[in-house]
Amino acid sequence: KLTPQAVISGRVVDEDGEIWTHAQVNLFRSKRTRGQSKIENFGGERLNDQGEFRVGQIPPGRYYLAVAPDAGWEAQYQLPPPRRQPTWYPNSLDLEGATPIILEAGNQVTGLEIRIRRGSVHRVRGTLVGIENIPSPDGPEQFARRRISAESTGSAANGTRAAIHPDGSFEILGLPPGTYEIRVTQGFFPINLGTAKVQVDDRDVDDVTIQLTPPQRLTGMVRIAEEGSTKLSGFTVELDPIRPARSSSAISRADGSFEFPPLGAERYRVNVVGNGLYLKEIRYGDVVSTDGTVTVTGAGGSPQLVLSTRVAHVSGKVSTTSAQVVLIPAGSAGEVRQATLDQTGAFSFGDVRPGAYKLFAFEGAPDGVWEDPDFMKEFSAAGVEIHLDEGESKSADVPLIPKSDLAPVVKKLGLE
């Protein structure tokens, strides 16, 4: 069965309501991954000579529309300031003030109007400290290239202009007011070297200092809390950056040691793949983490991952084999898990990290919709609370949330 695609069309006008043609319209899709909300560029279209746009072949979902003015055209014709700014539909300079567009299958949403706004843009200047200590990777030039960027979810701009000078100074141009994370990376698969948060108001920002940290090879050890209970080799240790970036993995040796290739200074979620075990805690320098995350810094140190064989188990039964049974941690530790049902509707979760959880049974929900907080607010009371101690096994019958209850909420939030 094929899903009919949706279409969005409309026009762009200036602050006086007159047709504006020197811009591009961009469509952004709202997505949620591992409980974190983000938007990603879905596509863009140039305006025609009437300031009109049309974006087609859009799957159902929640979208945001933004217009990016042609700054080069304005500069070429020396238009008086303030310049026209990237603007979110219908008339906002930041994402927080934008109106989402909820699209169902086959929708034809027409007559939208974006009123492009004027505003000042500014530069950020500063210095990278320690750039002389950053070794360049071996290989082609693209693997050694260093980049600096200003990242902000509140900006509709396509990107930023930036330059790193040989003396370590930098300049980022064309930033509208807002909060930015200035990030310095290196390599084809970018490794983070340093970050700084900057607030741009109604003036240029100077004298920003960013301390760079050389990439480091991270070595560590796997240890079993119940000594002698299992061998230490063959565990896959995964580091998944909290910020969307490339993940890394390593395999433990016979003595429990593991080593990662050079990593940037990031906060990572740690996952250890192995049957009958859970990650109890992470010891890294003077820090003990029990939420499954670790922040890698340039201070050195060898993380120790303490695993335990005293896993918990949850089992139960639902009234239909077509249900989606989901185990959701009450806090930030652990990830959401989905069970596989047998022919009787029975389910089981093995190797569960001890802690507080809620069990839900959805009928015909879109995959992963339970990671959207707005969706879960609607059904929070329908879950079964369960607390698991080390080595504990519990059984729970989970009431089914029927598709008839889910459908209106899914439609309202644009989560098809």
Side-chain angles (χ1 to χ4, degrees):
K1 183 179 179 180
L2 303 182
T3 301
Q5 303 293 275
V7 175
I8 294 175
S9 62
R11 67 172 188 163
V12 175
V13 298
D14 65 12
E15 66 276 10
D16 298 319
E18 300 293 330
I19 291 172
W20 189 258
T21 62
H22 305 285
Q24 174 170 308
V25 166
N26 298 303
L27 187 65
F28 296 85
R29 185 170 189 173
S30 177
K31 294 191 68 176
R32 181 159 291 273
T33 304
R34 295 189 175 182
Q36 294 186 333
S37 180
K38 66 175 183 177
I39 62 168
E40 61 181 19
N41 198 322
F42 184 81
E45 294 289 341
R46 298 292 301 180
L47 303 177
N48 66 16
D49 59 359
Q50 296 299 309
E52 298 168 334
F53 63 87
R54 184 181 187 276
V55 184
Q57 300 183 3
I58 310 172
R62 181 193 298 164
Y63 293 86
Y64 292 89
L65 199 60
V67 57
D70 187 344
W73 182 87
E74 293 202 25
Q76 178 183 353
Y77 289 96
Q78 300 180 350
L79 299 189
R83 297 280 178 86
R84 288 167 179 82
Q85 296 299 306
T87 306
W88 295 92
Y89 169 78
N91 183 31
S92 174
L93 291 178
D94 55 44
L95 178 60
E96 287 71 23
T99 299
I101 301 169
I102 309 300
L103 296 179
E104 300 178 43
N107 272 171
Q108 301 279 330
V109 179
T110 61
L112 299 180
E113 183 177 279
I114 306 176
R115 186 173 289 257
I116 199 167
R117 293 180 58 176
R118 288 179 180 266
S120 58
V121 294
H122 306 281
R123 68 163 188 265
V124 173
R125 284 178 175 171
T127 304
L128 306 181
V129 177
I131 192 170
E132 68 280 358
N133 299 323
I134 308 297
S136 296
D138 297 329
E141 187 271 337
Q142 65 265 29
F143 286 97
R145 186 177 302 155
R146 291 172 187 149
R147 302 174 179 86
I148 186 167
S149 63
E151 301 175 6
S152 171
T153 58
S155 172
N158 286 331
T160 56
R161 291 179 291 166
I164 300 176
H165 304 297
D167 63 354
S169 62
F170 66 87
E171 180 179 51
I172 303 176
L173 304 174
L175 297 179
T179 302
Y180 296 87
E181 184 175 67
I182 310 299
R183 183 175 292 272
V184 184
T185 60
Q186 175 174 277
F188 185 77
F189 298 106
I191 293 176
N192 184 50
L193 302 178
T195 59
K197 188 164 286 188
V198 173
Q199 178 68 41
V200 178
D201 294 318
D202 58 352
R203 66 189 65 186
D204 295 337
V205 179
D206 295 316
D207 301 324
V208 175
T209 299
I210 303 178
Q211 178 67 52
L212 301 189
T213 301
Q216 62 168 315
R217 290 187 176 274
L218 187 69
T219 59
M221 295 287 295
V222 169
R223 182 172 71 82
I224 310 297
E226 299 76 27
E227 294 185 7
S229 57
T230 186
K231 66 179 183 178
L232 299 176
S233 63
F235 291 109
T236 299
V237 181
E238 299 174 341
L239 295 182
D240 189 16
I242 300 297
R243 176 186 68 90
R246 190 186 185 204
S247 58
S248 300
S249 63
I251 298 177
S252 64
R253 308 180 183 98
D255 62 353
S257 64
F258 58 84
E259 181 177 358
F260 282 90
L263 298 171
E266 297 268 12
R267 182 167 170 248
Y268 296 90
R269 182 168 297 283
V270 183
N271 182 41
V272 181
V273 181
N275 294 327
L277 295 155
Y278 79 93
L279 180 58
K280 186 172 184 176
E281 65 181 28
I282 305 169
R283 297 181 178 272
Y284 185 47
D286 297 329
V287 177
V288 177
S289 169
T290 58
D291 66 356
T293 66
V294 62
T295 299
V296 175
T297 66
S302 177
Q304 184 178 89
L305 311 183
V306 182
L307 310 180
S308 175
T309 59
R310 300 190 64 196
V311 294
H313 297 82
V314 181
S315 61
K317 193 172 184 178
V318 289
S319 58
T320 174
T321 58
S322 61
Q324 298 149 299
V325 178
V326 181
L327 184 67
I328 300 179
S332 60
E335 295 185 15
V336 176
R337 293 176 58 180
Q338 183 176 352
T340 299
L341 308 183
D342 68 11
Q343 66 273 17
T344 68
F347 66 86
S348 176
F349 291 95
D351 299 349
V352 179
R353 177 190 181 91
Y357 295 86
K358 265 194 172 183
L359 272 168
F360 294 86
F362 303 106
E363 181 185 31
D367 286 341
V369 72
W370 40 81
E371 294 192 10
D372 188 288
D374 294 329
F375 174 84
M376 292 307 300
K377 285 178 185 177
E378 302 280 347
F379 301 103
S380 177
V384 175
E385 294 184 358
I386 187 168
H387 188 278
L388 300 168
D389 293 324
E390 282 193 327
E392 187 175 20
S393 294
K394 283 189 176 180
S395 179
D397 291 329
V398 190
L400 183 69
I401 305 174
K403 190 172 184 178
S404 57
D405 290 348
L406 298 175
V409 176
V410 170
K411 180 179 179 179
K412 179 180 71 172
L413 298 176
L415 298 173
E416 295 93 337

